[in-house]
Every structure is written in C-alpha cells, then in structure tokens.
Amino acid sequence: MAEEKDLVEYIAKSLVDDPSGVQVNMIEGEKSTILELKVAQDDIGKVIGKHGRIAKAVRTILSAAATKTGKRIVLEILD
Amino acid sequence: MIHSMIKTREFEGKSEKEAIDKAIEALALDREAFDVEILVNERKGLFRKGSVKIRIHLHDDALPVTVPTEGESKLIAFLKTLLKKMGFPGEVTISFREDMKIGLDISSRFSGILIGKRGKNLDALQVLTNVYAGRIGLKEMRIIVDAEKYRVRREESIIRLARRTADQVKRSQRSRLLELMNPFERRLIHTTLNKVENIDTISEGEGLLKQVRVIYREH
C-alpha cells in the first residue's frame, strides 16, 4: 500500500504550486485502504479540476495500480 | 511543424571523440547531422584527465521526430515516473509532432492494464499528462498518450462499426442505438455517416458518455 501512497503523493506534487503542502495519510482497513490527500488551500482546485476531471483521473490510475494487490483503495481529497 | 526545436546542445567528455559519441547517442543522430564547436579542450596531462566540452549545432533538417525537446523531456520523465510508481514500468517515446499536438507512445509489457477497459486508464494518463504539460509551459499543446496504437485501432474500429450499422439500418429501415461513447468517438460516427444517403445520426442521453442513434430517413 505504501506504493499507492507514494503514487498519489507524486501525482499531487507534480500538479500543485506548493509541493510542500502535499500530505497523504493512509488508513488501512481489512478490505480497503483509504488515502487522504491534503494540499494547500489554493491548490485544491488543481487536484480536483473542472467537474472533478483530475480527481477522477487520479482515482482511475490508483485503481489500476491497485489491481496488483486486489485491494480496494479509496482516495479522499480533504478541504 | 516542429516546435521549439533545439539547435544547439553541449556535451562533455574526456576527449573530443567521447564528447561527440555522447552527442550521437543522446540525440540518436548521425555524425553528419551536426557541426561541432569546441568550447573547452584540456589535454590529458601526466597527473590529470583530459576534459573536452563541445557545443553541437544541428543542421536544420537534422532533428528526427524521436528527439525530445526540453519540455518534451519533462513530459516523458513525468509519464515514465508515473508508470513506474503505478508498478507498471515502461518506455515512453515521442510518436509524432503536429501543430499544437504531441504524441507520446508507451511501450510496456503491462500495456494491457495501462490501456484499461475501453481505454479508460490510457485516458486518465492522458488527462494527467496534459495537466502537467500546462504546468511546465506547454499549455496550448494537446498531448496524446497512446500504447500499442490503441487509439488508432479504436478509431478504425469505430469507423467500421459506423459503416456496418448504416448498412443494417438501410436494409431493415429501423434505427439502431450504439453503445455509450465519449464525445470524440461520437463525432467520429457522425462525420463518417454525414454524407451517407438515407441515414441520419443523433446523440441520446446525458453526461459525457452518450449513445448515438443511427436512423433511417427517406429522402
């Protein structure tokens, strides 16, 4: 699961103005893992996008990556 | 049209030959494709290594399509790192350059999963690569991400589907509803059947994915 956390961190840091404001918390459950993504206030739009387009793409990539382990991963973007 | 072409680049080596070899390898060019200007030439001495710095000047027609510019190199590095961190590493090369468009091609033994069901994962990679391109100053460029020529093959199969459906509709004189498609795919159906006699097409549904209905019309 650490790989998926690293993946989300990499994507978020590549897209925001303030990479130091990127923080990902991992909450592991039995069947699914929750990744909480926190970015600087001004950068929230940059990881969500118009109509959630960017957030959707990140979730798609995350679930593709998660097929390796078969575990469900939920991405939550905190604001 | 090629954008922001590199005309000069600098290389270093222990000798002139080594520096030139590095240039040839880095740019995937023949020696004939550029001129060499020597910037620094420190001969090898008894107690020190030689050091040669050269600047190469590319001939106007020398840049093959595969050599990335600085911005393109950043895009390639971004996408490659992304693939690696997904756990599906692969190589990324420039497949084409067009006016306002750059094509990136992924080659990976994981290309099946990287493409995903109906190109879903490929589309997501393309979205992120385009957002990243905007951030590094390639805002007006559209980046097309492909693997195994998936997009080309999909385009061809949609055109075939459109023609086949039109034939069926003409024969049966009954309309047919196609599967859900994205705007690009729907436009392809509309334009393919635009001038076909007795056939009309309309999109039905809500949201990004809609269905195209192929209709019989007497003229």
Side-chain angles (χ1 to χ4, degrees):
Chain A
M1 291 304 115
E3 291 95 344
E4 278 79 10
K5 180 175 182 266
D6 185 44
L7 173 64
V8 171
E9 228 168 65
Y10 174 72
I11 295 172
K13 283 184 176 169
S14 305
L15 304 184
V16 299
D17 284 333
D18 177 13
S20 68
V22 172
Q23 208 189 319
V24 182
N25 287 323
M26 184 164 64
I27 303 150
E28 282 200 77
E30 228 166 78
K31 283 180 190 145
S32 61
T33 299
I34 299 169
L35 290 175
E36 287 181 340
L37 172 63
K38 227 186 206 170
V39 299
Q41 194 65 36
D42 291 344
D43 280 329
I44 291 174
K46 296 205 169 64
V47 291
I48 293 178
K50 268 184 214 147
H51 309 294
R53 196 169 137 263
I54 298 172
K56 193 176 162 228
V58 178
R59 289 194 173 104
T60 302
I61 282 172
L62 201 52
S63 51
T67 55
K68 288 190 306 277
T69 54
K71 209 167 178 186
R72 215 170 74 90
I73 297 188
V74 180
L75 175 69
E76 282 177 7
I77 299 168
L78 304 180
D79 54 11
Chain B
M1 202 180 127
I2 293 167
H3 292 267
S4 55
M5 230 165 81
I6 329 158
K7 295 278 192 196
T8 66
R9 269 185 65 174
E10 287 167 20
F11 294 90
E12 279 179 278
K14 288 199 277 292
S15 64
E16 188 184 332
K17 183 176 178 305
E18 193 184 279
I20 290 172
D21 286 345
K22 276 187 186 170
I24 290 171
E25 198 187 282
L27 301 173
L29 289 171
D30 289 335
R31 173 64 190 87
E32 288 75 44
F34 54 85
D35 294 321
V36 175
E37 175 192 354
I38 295 178
L39 300 177
V40 179
N41 190 355
E42 282 170 17
R43 285 280 179 84
K44 199 172 112 180
L46 201 51
F47 300 108
R48 59 187 164 87
K49 286 179 186 165
S51 163
V52 177
K53 198 168 177 183
I54 60 168
R55 179 180 291 148
I56 61 140
H57 297 262
L58 291 170
H59 299 163
D60 281 343
D61 55 352
L63 198 72
V65 81
T66 48
V67 176
T69 61
E70 200 188 321
E72 289 164 351
S73 294
K74 283 188 190 165
L75 284 182
I76 290 172
F78 170 74
L79 187 52
K80 261 184 88 164
T81 310
L82 192 54
L83 300 183
K84 202 174 118 205
K85 287 184 186 284
M86 286 174 80
F88 307 123
E91 283 302 316
V92 177
T93 51
I94 307 244
S95 51
F96 67 86
R97 290 191 186 101
E98 270 171 35
D99 212 14
M100 299 315 196
K101 259 192 204 173
I102 299 171
L104 296 183
D105 184 54
I106 297 170
S107 85
S108 164
R109 63 194 183 92
F110 303 105
S111 56
I113 175 86
L114 290 172
I115 292 168
K117 198 180 166 198
R118 295 190 51 236
K120 196 177 79 175
N121 297 342
L122 205 53
D123 286 343
L125 290 170
Q126 181 167 298
V127 166
L128 295 187
T129 309
N130 273 281
V131 177
Y132 183 72
R135 295 201 53 80
I136 59 166
L138 296 170
K139 209 171 197 117
E140 67 289 1
M141 297 298 274
R142 220 177 108 62
I143 318 299
I144 312 291
V145 177
D146 204 349
E148 310 269 347
K149 302 229 180 308
Y150 173 80
R151 292 192 192 282
V152 181
R153 286 189 287 125
R154 173 88 182 136
E155 205 170 298
E156 285 167 354
S157 88
I158 286 175
I159 291 172
R160 278 199 305 273
L161 171 74
R163 294 203 176 116
R164 202 168 57 232
T165 307
D167 286 345
Q168 287 168 350
V169 169
K170 269 197 225 172
R171 249 182 285 131
S172 67
Q173 305 199 354
R174 292 179 60 173
S175 77
R176 284 203 51 190
L177 194 59
L178 300 176
E179 60 180 306
L180 286 168
M181 290 179 187
N182 69 34
F184 171 78
E185 296 167 336
R186 290 199 303 276
R187 201 173 59 223
L188 214 51
I189 300 269
H190 294 309
T191 52
T192 305
L193 300 182
N194 192 15
K195 284 182 182 138
V196 177
E197 250 178 84
N198 298 358
I199 292 292
D200 268 354
T201 55
I202 50 160
S203 291
E204 292 184 1
E206 294 291 319
L208 200 63
L209 296 176
K210 292 182 186 130
Q211 289 175 285
V212 176
R213 188 178 286 282
V214 182
I215 306 166
Y216 183 80
R217 278 277 147 79
E218 300 232 26
H219 287 290

PDB file of all heavy atoms in Angstrom, chain B residues 38-51:
ATOM      1  N   ILE B  38      34.275  23.406 -30.525  1.00  0.00           N
ATOM      2  CA  ILE B  38      34.957  23.023 -29.292  1.00  0.00           C
ATOM      3  C   ILE B  38      35.010  24.213 -28.344  1.00  0.00           C
ATOM      4  O   ILE B  38      35.503  25.283 -28.698  1.00  0.00           O
ATOM      5  CB  ILE B  38      36.362  22.463 -29.581  1.00  0.00           C
ATOM      6  CG1 ILE B  38      36.181  21.150 -30.377  1.00  0.00           C
ATOM      7  CG2 ILE B  38      37.134  22.200 -28.289  1.00  0.00           C
ATOM      8  CD1 ILE B  38      37.444  20.476 -30.788  1.00  0.00           C
ATOM      9  N   LEU B  39      34.442  24.036 -27.154  1.00  0.00           N
ATOM     10  CA  LEU B  39      34.377  25.135 -26.189  1.00  0.00           C
ATOM     11  C   LEU B  39      35.582  25.089 -25.247  1.00  0.00           C
ATOM     12  O   LEU B  39      36.205  26.092 -24.979  1.00  0.00           O
ATOM     13  CB  LEU B  39      33.081  25.047 -25.376  1.00  0.00           C
ATOM     14  CG  LEU B  39      31.778  25.129 -26.169  1.00  0.00           C
ATOM     15  CD1 LEU B  39      30.589  24.948 -25.232  1.00  0.00           C
ATOM     16  CD2 LEU B  39      31.651  26.443 -26.923  1.00  0.00           C
ATOM     17  N   VAL B  40      35.855  23.916 -24.709  1.00  0.00           N
ATOM     18  CA  VAL B  40      36.973  23.746 -23.785  1.00  0.00           C
ATOM     19  C   VAL B  40      37.752  22.518 -24.233  1.00  0.00           C
ATOM     20  O   VAL B  40      37.153  21.493 -24.539  1.00  0.00           O
ATOM     21  CB  VAL B  40      36.477  23.512 -22.340  1.00  0.00           C
ATOM     22  CG1 VAL B  40      37.664  23.323 -21.391  1.00  0.00           C
ATOM     23  CG2 VAL B  40      35.594  24.655 -21.876  1.00  0.00           C
ATOM     24  N   ASN B  41      39.054  22.644 -24.289  1.00  0.00           N
ATOM     25  CA  ASN B  41      39.856  21.479 -24.653  1.00  0.00           C
ATOM     26  C   ASN B  41      41.087  21.401 -23.766  1.00  0.00           C
ATOM     27  O   ASN B  41      42.100  22.026 -24.039  1.00  0.00           O
ATOM     28  CB  ASN B  41      40.255  21.555 -26.132  1.00  0.00           C
ATOM     29  CG  ASN B  41      40.874  20.245 -26.603  1.00  0.00           C
ATOM     30  OD1 ASN B  41      41.092  19.323 -25.804  1.00  0.00           O
ATOM     31  ND2 ASN B  41      41.172  20.161 -27.884  1.00  0.00           N
ATOM     32  N   GLU B  42      40.953  20.674 -22.673  1.00  0.00           N
ATOM     33  CA  GLU B  42      42.098  20.492 -21.788  1.00  0.00           C
ATOM     34  C   GLU B  42      42.701  19.139 -22.066  1.00  0.00           C
ATOM     35  O   GLU B  42      42.082  18.112 -21.815  1.00  0.00           O
ATOM     36  CB  GLU B  42      41.659  20.599 -20.317  1.00  0.00           C
ATOM     37  CG  GLU B  42      41.461  22.030 -19.868  1.00  0.00           C
ATOM     38  CD  GLU B  42      40.800  22.113 -18.501  1.00  0.00           C
ATOM     39  OE1 GLU B  42      40.791  21.097 -17.775  1.00  0.00           O
ATOM     40  OE2 GLU B  42      40.274  23.195 -18.185  1.00  0.00           O
ATOM     41  N   ARG B  43      43.894  19.164 -22.585  1.00  0.00           N
ATOM     42  CA  ARG B  43      44.561  17.906 -22.922  1.00  0.00           C
ATOM     43  C   ARG B  43      44.853  17.110 -21.666  1.00  0.00           C
ATOM     44  O   ARG B  43      45.053  17.659 -20.594  1.00  0.00           O
ATOM     45  CB  ARG B  43      45.872  18.209 -23.657  1.00  0.00           C
ATOM     46  CG  ARG B  43      45.659  18.655 -25.076  1.00  0.00           C
ATOM     47  CD  ARG B  43      45.403  17.445 -25.963  1.00  0.00           C
ATOM     48  NE  ARG B  43      45.164  17.857 -27.345  1.00  0.00           N
ATOM     49  CZ  ARG B  43      46.158  18.095 -28.201  1.00  0.00           C
ATOM     50  NH1 ARG B  43      47.406  18.002 -27.823  1.00  0.00           N
ATOM     51  NH2 ARG B  43      45.882  18.446 -29.438  1.00  0.00           N
ATOM     52  N   LYS B  44      44.930  15.826 -21.875  1.00  0.00           N
ATOM     53  CA  LYS B  44      45.294  14.948 -20.782  1.00  0.00           C
ATOM     54  C   LYS B  44      46.749  15.193 -20.410  1.00  0.00           C
ATOM     55  O   LYS B  44      47.608  15.274 -21.280  1.00  0.00           O
ATOM     56  CB  LYS B  44      45.117  13.503 -21.269  1.00  0.00           C
ATOM     57  CG  LYS B  44      45.021  12.496 -20.160  1.00  0.00           C
ATOM     58  CD  LYS B  44      44.655  11.143 -20.742  1.00  0.00           C
ATOM     59  CE  LYS B  44      45.849  10.212 -20.592  1.00  0.00           C
ATOM     60  NZ  LYS B  44      45.613   8.891 -21.105  1.00  0.00           N
ATOM     61  N   GLY B  45      47.013  15.379 -19.131  1.00  0.00           N
ATOM     62  CA  GLY B  45      48.381  15.572 -18.698  1.00  0.00           C
ATOM     63  C   GLY B  45      48.858  14.375 -17.889  1.00  0.00           C
ATOM     64  O   GLY B  45      48.129  13.387 -17.770  1.00  0.00           O
ATOM     65  N   LEU B  46      50.011  14.481 -17.358  1.00  0.00           N
ATOM     66  CA  LEU B  46      50.580  13.382 -16.596  1.00  0.00           C
ATOM     67  C   LEU B  46      49.727  13.064 -15.369  1.00  0.00           C
ATOM     68  O   LEU B  46      49.474  11.927 -15.054  1.00  0.00           O
ATOM     69  CB  LEU B  46      52.006  13.769 -16.148  1.00  0.00           C
ATOM     70  CG  LEU B  46      52.930  12.612 -15.787  1.00  0.00           C
ATOM     71  CD1 LEU B  46      52.951  11.559 -16.896  1.00  0.00           C
ATOM     72  CD2 LEU B  46      54.342  13.138 -15.526  1.00  0.00           C
ATOM     73  N   PHE B  47      49.249  14.133 -14.718  1.00  0.00           N
ATOM     74  CA  PHE B  47      48.507  13.912 -13.479  1.00  0.00           C
ATOM     75  C   PHE B  47      47.027  14.287 -13.567  1.00  0.00           C
ATOM     76  O   PHE B  47      46.310  14.303 -12.591  1.00  0.00           O
ATOM     77  CB  PHE B  47      49.166  14.692 -12.326  1.00  0.00           C
ATOM     78  CG  PHE B  47      50.566  14.267 -12.090  1.00  0.00           C
ATOM     79  CD1 PHE B  47      51.631  15.089 -12.429  1.00  0.00           C
ATOM     80  CD2 PHE B  47      50.829  13.003 -11.561  1.00  0.00           C
ATOM     81  CE1 PHE B  47      52.944  14.671 -12.240  1.00  0.00           C
ATOM     82  CE2 PHE B  47      52.139  12.591 -11.363  1.00  0.00           C
ATOM     83  CZ  PHE B  47      53.196  13.425 -11.701  1.00  0.00           C
ATOM     84  N   ARG B  48      46.540  14.663 -14.762  1.00  0.00           N
ATOM     85  CA  ARG B  48      45.106  14.993 -14.826  1.00  0.00           C
ATOM     86  C   ARG B  48      44.467  14.376 -16.068  1.00  0.00           C
ATOM     87  O   ARG B  48      45.134  14.131 -17.080  1.00  0.00           O
ATOM     88  CB  ARG B  48      44.896  16.503 -14.787  1.00  0.00           C
ATOM     89  CG  ARG B  48      45.562  17.222 -15.909  1.00  0.00           C
ATOM     90  CD  ARG B  48      45.459  18.734 -15.740  1.00  0.00           C
ATOM     91  NE  ARG B  48      46.416  19.387 -16.610  1.00  0.00           N
ATOM     92  CZ  ARG B  48      46.145  19.697 -17.874  1.00  0.00           C
ATOM     93  NH1 ARG B  48      44.970  19.467 -18.387  1.00  0.00           N
ATOM     94  NH2 ARG B  48      47.068  20.271 -18.624  1.00  0.00           N
ATOM     95  N   LYS B  49      43.175  14.163 -15.925  1.00  0.00           N
ATOM     96  CA  LYS B  49      42.407  13.624 -17.035  1.00  0.00           C
ATOM     97  C   LYS B  49      42.118  14.732 -18.030  1.00  0.00           C
ATOM     98  O   LYS B  49      42.027  15.899 -17.651  1.00  0.00           O
ATOM     99  CB  LYS B  49      41.073  13.067 -16.522  1.00  0.00           C
ATOM    100  CG  LYS B  49      41.204  11.762 -15.768  1.00  0.00           C
ATOM    101  CD  LYS B  49      39.841  11.344 -15.297  1.00  0.00           C
ATOM    102  CE  LYS B  49      39.955  10.104 -14.404  1.00  0.00           C
ATOM    103  NZ  LYS B  49      38.731   9.897 -13.655  1.00  0.00           N
ATOM    104  N   GLY B  50      41.946  14.361 -19.272  1.00  0.00           N
ATOM    105  CA  GLY B  50      41.561  15.356 -20.271  1.00  0.00           C
ATOM    106  C   GLY B  50      40.112  15.749 -20.072  1.00  0.00           C
ATOM    107  O   GLY B  50      39.332  15.016 -19.474  1.00  0.00           O
ATOM    108  N   SER B  51      39.761  16.931 -20.563  1.00  0.00           N
ATOM    109  CA  SER B  51      38.384  17.368 -20.459  1.00  0.00           C
ATOM    110  C   SER B  51      38.035  18.204 -21.679  1.00  0.00           C
ATOM    111  O   SER B  51      38.694  19.209 -21.965  1.00  0.00           O
ATOM    112  CB  SER B  51      38.212  18.188 -19.174  1.00  0.00           C
ATOM    113  OG  SER B  51      37.021  18.922 -19.252  1.00  0.00           O
TER     114      SER B  51
END
